Amino acid sequence: MKIKNPFPLKQRAIEEHLKKATFKQPIGENIKERAKELENLGVKAIDALHVACFEASRSDYFITCDKRLLNRCQSLEISALNPIDFIRALNNEN
C-alpha cells in the first residue's frame, strides 16, 4: 500500500501503525458508492473514503486529527474523536 501523506516522517509512522493492524477493511463497490454519497454531502474525497471504510468496518471509533472532518462527522452522526479524546474515552471505560 502506498502511503499518500506528503511528509516522510508521518509516512513512516503510518507504515508502522499499519504493520500492527489486526484488521484492514477491503474497499468494495459498496464502500466506493458510499464514499461518493459522502462527497456529494461535501466531504473531501479521501476523507469520504476513510469514513465509508469506518462505517463498513463497524468499528467503535473513528479517530482523526482533522478538525473539519471531526465537525463533519458530528453531522453524519459518526462517533469521531481526536486521538487525545479517544485515549480519555478509553481511560474512562476502564
Side-chain angles (χ1 to χ4, degrees), residues 19-34:
K19 287 178 188 174
K20 297 174 186 174
T22 58
F23 174 78
K24 294 179 184 166
Q25 177 62 51
I27 299 173
E29 284 305 311
N30 57 338
I31 289 176
K32 291 178 185 177
E33 289 174 18
R34 176 60 177 150

Side-chain angles (χ1 to χ4, degrees), residues 36-54:
K36 280 291 180 197
E37 291 173 10
L38 292 165
E39 277 186 79
N40 291 335
L41 294 173
V43 181
K44 292 188 286 186
I46 193 67
D47 293 338
L49 185 60
H50 290 156
V51 170
C53 285
F54 161 76

